[in-house]
């Protein structure tokens, strides 16, 4: 492991700060927080009005003096103070009181692959503001691989694709370390944006931001694969008149619009495979790619990767919480380091 398992076992709390959702794992209690990374603020007084799910529902529906902010972007904390306030409210008074009783609170946090020192510093500052005396940073790719049960400690290749809201990370792991990895600035938000732009240009329809994800779910009954329904009805606002309008949308066209930003993901996978030693690529031909992250559930994405790479593609059992569960497994000592016995001389 690139991070000391011994240090992680001393941690009491693990946090996965994502662009879409924030998750908190407490040793002995399990996953205690799984809420959207959003906070609603009164701009006149600076007071926090809502956090998490309720703040997410307020997006696009607030009066002028209430602003919904997202303190995390692409797995990086962009507003440390607001992120601390959001986390305090998500944890709740009872849990914060329990954590305050620990004299030397240690925390672990996920950071994106190749996060720059400023991003790492922001994650550490956020956790220190919650009372942590020491913070361990773990690469999201390793945490997610542990969380979905991949044998990362063995001398064999495992390939993981972390499909986040703002970025997609792909890596080949062996012997508990990253052999080669790539971070692609395309995620679930880029796919949502492609759907919104397609409806605007082709049907002159503005789709509410809250309706993009339900639209994908409505199409998920094989709707975004060639075997699905040919069309579906979508409600939105007419660009010209501003009135509510419904249109029949061709699912094949939506499928094409979604696949356009995903070509960057395919390019990233190709680059990782080209940089990887041939012996490890041979392992991957049988083992395939493991997909984790909230956007891994996008219908038809796994089949698209199968067609593009020719390798088997698997989706983790709980893809959205793999990273924080992996951190939790390390905290609770469930991961044993590979012990190499020195050769007798």
């Amino acid at each position: 492991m690139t991070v000391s398992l011994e240090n992680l076992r001393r941690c009491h709390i693990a946090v996965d700060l994502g662009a879409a959702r924030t998750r908190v794992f407490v040793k002995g209690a399990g996953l205690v927080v799984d809420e959207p990374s959003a906070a609603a603020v009164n701009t006149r007084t600076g007071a926090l009005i809502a956090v998490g799910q309720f703040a997410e529902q307020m997006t696009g529906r607030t009066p002028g003096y209430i602003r919904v902010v997202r303190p995390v972007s692409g797995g990086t904390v962009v507003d440390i103070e607001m992120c601390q306030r959001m986390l305090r409210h998500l944890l709740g008074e009872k849990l914060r009181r329990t954590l305050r009783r620990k004299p030397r609170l240690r925390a672990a946090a996920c950071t994106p692959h190749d996060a720059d020192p400023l991003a790492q510093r922001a994650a550490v500052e956020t956790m220190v503001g919650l009372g942590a005396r020491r913070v361990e940073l773990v690469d999201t790719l390793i945490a997610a691989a542990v969380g979905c049960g991949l044998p990362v400690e063995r001398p064999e290749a495992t390939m993981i694709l972390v499909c986040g809201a703002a970025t997609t990370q792909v890596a080949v792991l062996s012997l508990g370390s990253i052999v080669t990895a790539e971070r692609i600035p395309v995620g679930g938000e880029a796919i949502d944006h492609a759907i919104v732009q397609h409806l605007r240009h082709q049907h002159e329809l503005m789709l509410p931001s809250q309706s993009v994800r339900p639209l994908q779910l409505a199409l998920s009954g094989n709707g975004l694969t060639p075997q699905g329904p040919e069309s579906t009805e979508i409600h939105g606002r007419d660009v010209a008149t501003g009135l509510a309008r419904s249109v029949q949308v061709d699912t094949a066209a939506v499928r094409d619009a979604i696949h356009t930003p995903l070509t960057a993901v395919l390019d990233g996978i190709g680059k990782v495979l080209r940089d990887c030693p041939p012996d490890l690529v041979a392992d991957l031909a049988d083992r395939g790619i493991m997909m984790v992250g909230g956007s891994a559930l996008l219908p038809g994405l796994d089949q698209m990767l199968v067609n593009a790479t020719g390798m088997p593609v698997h989706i983790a059992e709980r893809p959205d919480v793999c990273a924080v569960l992996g951190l939790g497994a390390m905290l609770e000592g469930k991961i044993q380091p590979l012990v190499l016995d020195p050769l007798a001389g």
Side-chain angles (χ1 to χ4, degrees):
M1 286 280 177
T2 51
V3 68
S4 168
L5 284 172
E6 193 57 44
N7 287 343
L8 282 172
R9 285 198 194 102
R10 295 179 188 145
C11 293
H12 307 99
I13 183 172
V15 179
D16 177 18
L17 290 167
R21 297 183 78 83
T22 293
R23 300 176 178 93
V24 180
F25 184 101
V26 175
K27 188 188 281 188
L31 189 64
V32 294
V33 173
D34 184 3
E35 293 274 346
S37 304
V41 185
N42 185 328
T43 53
R44 293 173 183 168
T45 62
L48 206 58
I49 295 170
V51 294
Q53 189 66 47
F54 189 39
E56 177 89 352
Q57 291 170 358
M58 293 166 73
T59 305
R61 297 188 168 101
T62 58
Y65 64 92
I66 295 177
R67 192 162 57 97
V68 177
V69 295
R70 294 187 174 275
V72 185
S73 174
T76 302
V77 178
V78 291
D79 187 338
I80 295 173
E81 185 193 353
M82 186 55 66
C83 193
Q84 288 172 349
R85 292 173 71 186
M86 180 185 78
L87 276 170
R88 284 193 200 104
H89 280 78
L90 288 175
L91 285 170
E93 184 60 39
K94 184 181 176 185
L95 188 55
R96 288 211 312 277
R97 209 179 301 125
T98 307
L99 292 172
R100 274 202 298 267
R101 290 198 195 106
K102 301 186 186 300
R104 288 191 62 79
L105 180 67
R106 288 173 174 242
C110 283
T111 54
H113 178 66
D114 277 350
D116 58 65
L118 275 176
Q120 294 180 0
R121 181 76 183 163
V124 171
E125 289 284 334
T126 301
M127 301 312 297
V128 167
L130 290 176
R133 298 294 178 90
R134 178 164 177 158
V135 182
E136 302 288 342
L137 298 180
V138 182
D139 197 304
T140 303
L141 291 162
I142 291 178
V146 170
C148 63
L150 289 177
V152 289
E153 291 295 339
R154 295 184 195 161
E156 45 190 74
T158 52
M159 189 171 196
I160 188 162
L161 188 73
V162 180
C163 309
T167 59
T168 298
Q169 302 173 70
V170 58
V172 174
L173 309 173
S174 181
L175 285 172
S177 298
I178 295 171
V179 178
T180 176
E182 191 74 19
R183 186 151 62 127
I184 306 134
V186 171
E189 290 172 355
I191 295 165
D192 294 351
H193 183 70
I195 293 176
V196 169
Q197 290 302 310
H198 169 76
L199 293 173
R200 189 183 180 105
H201 292 146
Q202 298 298 320
H203 300 279
E204 296 186 348
L205 194 76
M206 285 187 73
L207 194 66
S209 59
Q210 302 279 327
S211 302
V212 178
R213 197 59 66 179
L215 166 62
Q216 292 179 3
L217 294 174
L219 296 172
S220 65
N222 287 332
L224 291 177
T225 58
Q227 296 79 30
E230 290 185 5
S231 64
T232 186
E233 189 176 26
I234 291 175
H235 310 285
R237 191 181 80 186
D238 190 284
V239 172
T241 64
L243 301 175
R245 186 161 65 92
S246 300
V247 295
Q248 285 289 332
V249 175
D250 180 23
T251 53
V254 175
R255 188 165 67 241
D256 291 342
I258 284 176
H259 286 186
T260 304
L262 292 178
T263 52
V265 176
L266 297 178
D267 292 343
I269 292 173
K271 185 176 187 304
V272 166
L273 290 173
R274 285 194 298 275
D275 293 345
C276 197
D279 291 347
L280 293 179
V281 176
D283 288 349
L284 295 173
D286 302 325
R287 194 177 292 277
I289 304 170
M290 177 65 80
M291 290 173 61
V292 302
S295 301
L297 297 170
L298 186 71
L301 177 56
D302 52 344
Q303 190 57 46
M304 179 187 174
L305 291 176
V306 169
N307 297 339
T309 62
M311 294 194 299
V313 175
H314 316 281
I315 299 177
E317 190 176 339
R318 296 179 65 191
D320 48 342
V321 293
C322 276
V324 75
L325 290 182
L327 270 183
M330 294 183 208
L331 260 62
E332 296 183 335
K334 294 177 181 176
I335 308 302
Q336 297 301 321
L338 182 71
V339 178
L340 297 173
D341 292 327
L343 296 173

PDB file of all heavy atoms in Angstrom, residues 103-128:
ATOM      1  N   PRO A 103      -9.400  12.092  22.661  1.00  0.00           N
ATOM      2  CA  PRO A 103      -8.400  13.147  22.886  1.00  0.00           C
ATOM      3  C   PRO A 103      -7.520  13.418  21.666  1.00  0.00           C
ATOM      4  O   PRO A 103      -7.130  14.553  21.427  1.00  0.00           O
ATOM      5  CB  PRO A 103      -7.563  12.594  24.055  1.00  0.00           C
ATOM      6  CG  PRO A 103      -7.810  11.113  24.042  1.00  0.00           C
ATOM      7  CD  PRO A 103      -9.192  10.925  23.518  1.00  0.00           C
ATOM      8  N   ARG A 104      -7.206  12.372  20.908  1.00  0.00           N
ATOM      9  CA  ARG A 104      -6.393  12.581  19.706  1.00  0.00           C
ATOM     10  C   ARG A 104      -7.132  12.002  18.509  1.00  0.00           C
ATOM     11  O   ARG A 104      -6.873  10.874  18.083  1.00  0.00           O
ATOM     12  CB  ARG A 104      -5.017  11.924  19.874  1.00  0.00           C
ATOM     13  CG  ARG A 104      -4.131  12.667  20.858  1.00  0.00           C
ATOM     14  CD  ARG A 104      -2.700  12.171  20.798  1.00  0.00           C
ATOM     15  NE  ARG A 104      -2.073  12.385  19.486  1.00  0.00           N
ATOM     16  CZ  ARG A 104      -1.586  13.548  19.071  1.00  0.00           C
ATOM     17  NH1 ARG A 104      -1.660  14.617  19.833  1.00  0.00           N
ATOM     18  NH2 ARG A 104      -1.011  13.642  17.898  1.00  0.00           N
ATOM     19  N   LEU A 105      -8.097  12.756  18.012  1.00  0.00           N
ATOM     20  CA  LEU A 105      -8.931  12.291  16.905  1.00  0.00           C
ATOM     21  C   LEU A 105      -8.103  12.211  15.623  1.00  0.00           C
ATOM     22  O   LEU A 105      -7.444  13.180  15.236  1.00  0.00           O
ATOM     23  CB  LEU A 105     -10.109  13.251  16.715  1.00  0.00           C
ATOM     24  CG  LEU A 105     -11.070  12.899  15.581  1.00  0.00           C
ATOM     25  CD1 LEU A 105     -11.819  11.612  15.879  1.00  0.00           C
ATOM     26  CD2 LEU A 105     -12.060  14.033  15.336  1.00  0.00           C
ATOM     27  N   ARG A 106      -8.117  11.049  14.993  1.00  0.00           N
ATOM     28  CA  ARG A 106      -7.427  10.867  13.715  1.00  0.00           C
ATOM     29  C   ARG A 106      -8.466  10.634  12.629  1.00  0.00           C
ATOM     30  O   ARG A 106      -9.465   9.944  12.858  1.00  0.00           O
ATOM     31  CB  ARG A 106      -6.476   9.665  13.772  1.00  0.00           C
ATOM     32  CG  ARG A 106      -5.233   9.914  14.614  1.00  0.00           C
ATOM     33  CD  ARG A 106      -4.448   8.630  14.753  1.00  0.00           C
ATOM     34  NE  ARG A 106      -3.182   8.859  15.436  1.00  0.00           N
ATOM     35  CZ  ARG A 106      -1.989   8.639  14.897  1.00  0.00           C
ATOM     36  NH1 ARG A 106      -1.896   8.189  13.661  1.00  0.00           N
ATOM     37  NH2 ARG A 106      -0.889   8.855  15.576  1.00  0.00           N
ATOM     38  N   ALA A 107      -8.207  11.194  11.457  1.00  0.00           N
ATOM     39  CA  ALA A 107      -9.157  11.075  10.346  1.00  0.00           C
ATOM     40  C   ALA A 107      -8.438  10.624   9.086  1.00  0.00           C
ATOM     41  O   ALA A 107      -7.233  10.860   8.916  1.00  0.00           O
ATOM     42  CB  ALA A 107      -9.845  12.419  10.105  1.00  0.00           C
ATOM     43  N   ALA A 108      -9.178   9.966   8.204  1.00  0.00           N
ATOM     44  CA  ALA A 108      -8.672   9.579   6.885  1.00  0.00           C
ATOM     45  C   ALA A 108      -9.584  10.190   5.836  1.00  0.00           C
ATOM     46  O   ALA A 108     -10.797  10.300   6.050  1.00  0.00           O
ATOM     47  CB  ALA A 108      -8.643   8.060   6.740  1.00  0.00           C
ATOM     48  N   ALA A 109      -9.013  10.610   4.713  1.00  0.00           N
ATOM     49  CA  ALA A 109      -9.803  11.237   3.654  1.00  0.00           C
ATOM     50  C   ALA A 109      -9.331  10.754   2.293  1.00  0.00           C
ATOM     51  O   ALA A 109      -8.140  10.469   2.103  1.00  0.00           O
ATOM     52  CB  ALA A 109      -9.700  12.763   3.737  1.00  0.00           C
ATOM     53  N   CYS A 110     -10.281  10.635   1.362  1.00  0.00           N
ATOM     54  CA  CYS A 110      -9.940  10.258  -0.019  1.00  0.00           C
ATOM     55  C   CYS A 110      -9.509  11.495  -0.794  1.00  0.00           C
ATOM     56  O   CYS A 110     -10.109  12.568  -0.655  1.00  0.00           O
ATOM     57  CB  CYS A 110     -11.163   9.658  -0.716  1.00  0.00           C
ATOM     58  SG  CYS A 110     -11.513   7.973  -0.246  1.00  0.00           S
ATOM     59  N   THR A 111      -8.489  11.342  -1.628  1.00  0.00           N
ATOM     60  CA  THR A 111      -8.108  12.411  -2.554  1.00  0.00           C
ATOM     61  C   THR A 111      -8.004  11.825  -3.951  1.00  0.00           C
ATOM     62  O   THR A 111      -7.621  10.661  -4.104  1.00  0.00           O
ATOM     63  CB  THR A 111      -6.747  13.031  -2.177  1.00  0.00           C
ATOM     64  OG1 THR A 111      -5.766  11.988  -2.074  1.00  0.00           O
ATOM     65  CG2 THR A 111      -6.818  13.783  -0.877  1.00  0.00           C
ATOM     66  N   PRO A 112      -8.355  12.596  -4.987  1.00  0.00           N
ATOM     67  CA  PRO A 112      -8.246  12.083  -6.360  1.00  0.00           C
ATOM     68  C   PRO A 112      -6.803  11.746  -6.712  1.00  0.00           C
ATOM     69  O   PRO A 112      -5.864  12.271  -6.104  1.00  0.00           O
ATOM     70  CB  PRO A 112      -8.768  13.245  -7.219  1.00  0.00           C
ATOM     71  CG  PRO A 112      -9.478  14.146  -6.285  1.00  0.00           C
ATOM     72  CD  PRO A 112      -8.864  13.969  -4.947  1.00  0.00           C
ATOM     73  N   HIS A 113      -6.642  10.890  -7.700  1.00  0.00           N
ATOM     74  CA  HIS A 113      -5.293  10.523  -8.129  1.00  0.00           C
ATOM     75  C   HIS A 113      -4.558  11.756  -8.662  1.00  0.00           C
ATOM     76  O   HIS A 113      -5.136  12.574  -9.375  1.00  0.00           O
ATOM     77  CB  HIS A 113      -5.375   9.461  -9.229  1.00  0.00           C
ATOM     78  CG  HIS A 113      -4.033   9.061  -9.761  1.00  0.00           C
ATOM     79  ND1 HIS A 113      -3.105   8.406  -8.984  1.00  0.00           N
ATOM     80  CD2 HIS A 113      -3.443   9.263 -10.975  1.00  0.00           C
ATOM     81  CE1 HIS A 113      -2.008   8.207  -9.699  1.00  0.00           C
ATOM     82  NE2 HIS A 113      -2.187   8.718 -10.896  1.00  0.00           N
ATOM     83  N   ASP A 114      -3.292  11.887  -8.298  1.00  0.00           N
ATOM     84  CA  ASP A 114      -2.446  13.006  -8.724  1.00  0.00           C
ATOM     85  C   ASP A 114      -2.999  14.356  -8.265  1.00  0.00           C
ATOM     86  O   ASP A 114      -2.857  15.366  -8.966  1.00  0.00           O
ATOM     87  CB  ASP A 114      -2.273  13.021 -10.254  1.00  0.00           C
ATOM     88  CG  ASP A 114      -1.179  12.064 -10.698  1.00  0.00           C
ATOM     89  OD1 ASP A 114      -0.456  11.565  -9.818  1.00  0.00           O
ATOM     90  OD2 ASP A 114      -1.056  11.815 -11.906  1.00  0.00           O
ATOM     91  N   ALA A 115      -3.653  14.366  -7.103  1.00  0.00           N
ATOM     92  CA  ALA A 115      -4.143  15.641  -6.566  1.00  0.00           C
ATOM     93  C   ALA A 115      -2.943  16.526  -6.242  1.00  0.00           C
ATOM     94  O   ALA A 115      -1.947  16.068  -5.677  1.00  0.00           O
ATOM     95  CB  ALA A 115      -4.975  15.403  -5.313  1.00  0.00           C
ATOM     96  N   ASP A 116      -3.001  17.802  -6.606  1.00  0.00           N
ATOM     97  CA  ASP A 116      -1.872  18.699  -6.372  1.00  0.00           C
ATOM     98  C   ASP A 116      -1.780  19.034  -4.874  1.00  0.00           C
ATOM     99  O   ASP A 116      -2.732  18.830  -4.118  1.00  0.00           O
ATOM    100  CB  ASP A 116      -2.005  19.970  -7.215  1.00  0.00           C
ATOM    101  CG  ASP A 116      -3.287  20.724  -6.928  1.00  0.00           C
ATOM    102  OD1 ASP A 116      -3.434  21.219  -5.799  1.00  0.00           O
ATOM    103  OD2 ASP A 116      -4.152  20.807  -7.824  1.00  0.00           O
ATOM    104  N   PRO A 117      -0.633  19.545  -4.423  1.00  0.00           N
ATOM    105  CA  PRO A 117      -0.454  19.829  -2.993  1.00  0.00           C
ATOM    106  C   PRO A 117      -1.511  20.759  -2.404  1.00  0.00           C
ATOM    107  O   PRO A 117      -1.884  20.615  -1.241  1.00  0.00           O
ATOM    108  CB  PRO A 117       0.935  20.487  -2.936  1.00  0.00           C
ATOM    109  CG  PRO A 117       1.661  19.954  -4.136  1.00  0.00           C
ATOM    110  CD  PRO A 117       0.611  19.774  -5.194  1.00  0.00           C
ATOM    111  N   LEU A 118      -2.007  21.706  -3.199  1.00  0.00           N
ATOM    112  CA  LEU A 118      -3.049  22.613  -2.693  1.00  0.00           C
ATOM    113  C   LEU A 118      -4.330  21.856  -2.380  1.00  0.00           C
ATOM    114  O   LEU A 118      -4.987  22.103  -1.370  1.00  0.00           O
ATOM    115  CB  LEU A 118      -3.339  23.711  -3.732  1.00  0.00           C
ATOM    116  CG  LEU A 118      -2.432  24.941  -3.692  1.00  0.00           C
ATOM    117  CD1 LEU A 118      -2.778  25.876  -4.840  1.00  0.00           C
ATOM    118  CD2 LEU A 118      -2.563  25.663  -2.366  1.00  0.00           C
ATOM    119  N   ALA A 119      -4.701  20.918  -3.263  1.00  0.00           N
ATOM    120  CA  ALA A 119      -5.911  20.117  -3.051  1.00  0.00           C
ATOM    121  C   ALA A 119      -5.754  19.230  -1.823  1.00  0.00           C
ATOM    122  O   ALA A 119      -6.681  19.079  -1.020  1.00  0.00           O
ATOM    123  CB  ALA A 119      -6.196  19.265  -4.288  1.00  0.00           C
ATOM    124  N   GLN A 120      -4.557  18.656  -1.646  1.00  0.00           N
ATOM    125  CA  GLN A 120      -4.301  17.825  -0.472  1.00  0.00           C
ATOM    126  C   GLN A 120      -4.364  18.664   0.806  1.00  0.00           C
ATOM    127  O   GLN A 120      -4.930  18.244   1.819  1.00  0.00           O
ATOM    128  CB  GLN A 120      -2.938  17.154  -0.601  1.00  0.00           C
ATOM    129  CG  GLN A 120      -2.859  16.144  -1.745  1.00  0.00           C
ATOM    130  CD  GLN A 120      -1.491  15.489  -1.856  1.00  0.00           C
ATOM    131  OE1 GLN A 120      -0.589  15.784  -1.074  1.00  0.00           O
ATOM    132  NE2 GLN A 120      -1.331  14.617  -2.827  1.00  0.00           N
ATOM    133  N   ARG A 121      -3.791  19.862   0.720  1.00  0.00           N
ATOM    134  CA  ARG A 121      -3.792  20.764   1.877  1.00  0.00           C
ATOM    135  C   ARG A 121      -5.219  21.156   2.258  1.00  0.00           C
ATOM    136  O   ARG A 121      -5.563  21.236   3.443  1.00  0.00           O
ATOM    137  CB  ARG A 121      -2.976  22.013   1.535  1.00  0.00           C
ATOM    138  CG  ARG A 121      -2.873  23.035   2.652  1.00  0.00           C
ATOM    139  CD  ARG A 121      -1.910  22.586   3.706  1.00  0.00           C
ATOM    140  NE  ARG A 121      -1.844  23.526   4.818  1.00  0.00           N
ATOM    141  CZ  ARG A 121      -1.352  23.229   5.989  1.00  0.00           C
ATOM    142  NH1 ARG A 121      -0.889  22.027   6.228  1.00  0.00           N
ATOM    143  NH2 ARG A 121      -1.313  24.123   6.959  1.00  0.00           N
ATOM    144  N   ALA A 122      -6.070  21.396   1.248  1.00  0.00           N
ATOM    145  CA  ALA A 122      -7.465  21.777   1.507  1.00  0.00           C
ATOM    146  C   ALA A 122      -8.204  20.644   2.218  1.00  0.00           C
ATOM    147  O   ALA A 122      -8.991  20.891   3.143  1.00  0.00           O
ATOM    148  CB  ALA A 122      -8.161  22.121   0.193  1.00  0.00           C
ATOM    149  N   ALA A 123      -7.950  19.389   1.802  1.00  0.00           N
ATOM    150  CA  ALA A 123      -8.593  18.246   2.457  1.00  0.00           C
ATOM    151  C   ALA A 123      -8.142  18.124   3.911  1.00  0.00           C
ATOM    152  O   ALA A 123      -8.958  17.890   4.815  1.00  0.00           O
ATOM    153  CB  ALA A 123      -8.266  16.961   1.688  1.00  0.00           C
ATOM    154  N   VAL A 124      -6.832  18.322   4.147  1.00  0.00           N
ATOM    155  CA  VAL A 124      -6.303  18.242   5.513  1.00  0.00           C
ATOM    156  C   VAL A 124      -6.893  19.348   6.379  1.00  0.00           C
ATOM    157  O   VAL A 124      -7.337  19.107   7.512  1.00  0.00           O
ATOM    158  CB  VAL A 124      -4.754  18.317   5.498  1.00  0.00           C
ATOM    159  CG1 VAL A 124      -4.203  18.469   6.915  1.00  0.00           C
ATOM    160  CG2 VAL A 124      -4.171  17.087   4.833  1.00  0.00           C
ATOM    161  N   GLU A 125      -6.923  20.591   5.847  1.00  0.00           N
ATOM    162  CA  GLU A 125      -7.458  21.736   6.610  1.00  0.00           C
ATOM    163  C   GLU A 125      -8.924  21.510   6.983  1.00  0.00           C
ATOM    164  O   GLU A 125      -9.365  21.873   8.072  1.00  0.00           O
ATOM    165  CB  GLU A 125      -7.336  23.029   5.786  1.00  0.00           C
ATOM    166  CG  GLU A 125      -5.919  23.537   5.634  1.00  0.00           C
ATOM    167  CD  GLU A 125      -5.399  24.196   6.895  1.00  0.00           C
ATOM    168  OE1 GLU A 125      -6.213  24.694   7.688  1.00  0.00           O
ATOM    169  OE2 GLU A 125      -4.169  24.178   7.103  1.00  0.00           O
ATOM    170  N   THR A 126      -9.685  20.925   6.061  1.00  0.00           N
ATOM    171  CA  THR A 126     -11.103  20.664   6.316  1.00  0.00           C
ATOM    172  C   THR A 126     -11.265  19.717   7.491  1.00  0.00           C
ATOM    173  O   THR A 126     -12.089  19.949   8.388  1.00  0.00           O
ATOM    174  CB  THR A 126     -11.772  20.058   5.061  1.00  0.00           C
ATOM    175  OG1 THR A 126     -11.617  20.977   3.976  1.00  0.00           O
ATOM    176  CG2 THR A 126     -13.244  19.815   5.296  1.00  0.00           C
ATOM    177  N   MET A 127     -10.469  18.648   7.520  1.00  0.00           N
ATOM    178  CA  MET A 127     -10.584  17.666   8.599  1.00  0.00           C
ATOM    179  C   MET A 127     -10.045  18.215   9.923  1.00  0.00           C
ATOM    180  O   MET A 127     -10.588  17.925  10.989  1.00  0.00           O
ATOM    181  CB  MET A 127      -9.829  16.382   8.232  1.00  0.00           C
ATOM    182  CG  MET A 127     -10.306  15.708   6.949  1.00  0.00           C
ATOM    183  SD  MET A 127     -12.087  15.538   6.857  1.00  0.00           S
ATOM    184  CE  MET A 127     -12.402  14.475   8.231  1.00  0.00           C
ATOM    185  N   VAL A 128      -8.995  19.050   9.847  1.00  0.00           N
ATOM    186  CA  VAL A 128      -8.456  19.666  11.063  1.00  0.00           C
ATOM    187  C   VAL A 128      -9.507  20.583  11.689  1.00  0.00           C
ATOM    188  O   VAL A 128      -9.657  20.658  12.912  1.00  0.00           O
ATOM    189  CB  VAL A 128      -7.155  20.442  10.750  1.00  0.00           C
ATOM    190  CG1 VAL A 128      -6.750  21.351  11.910  1.00  0.00           C
ATOM    191  CG2 VAL A 128      -6.026  19.462  10.438  1.00  0.00           C
TER     192      VAL A 128
END
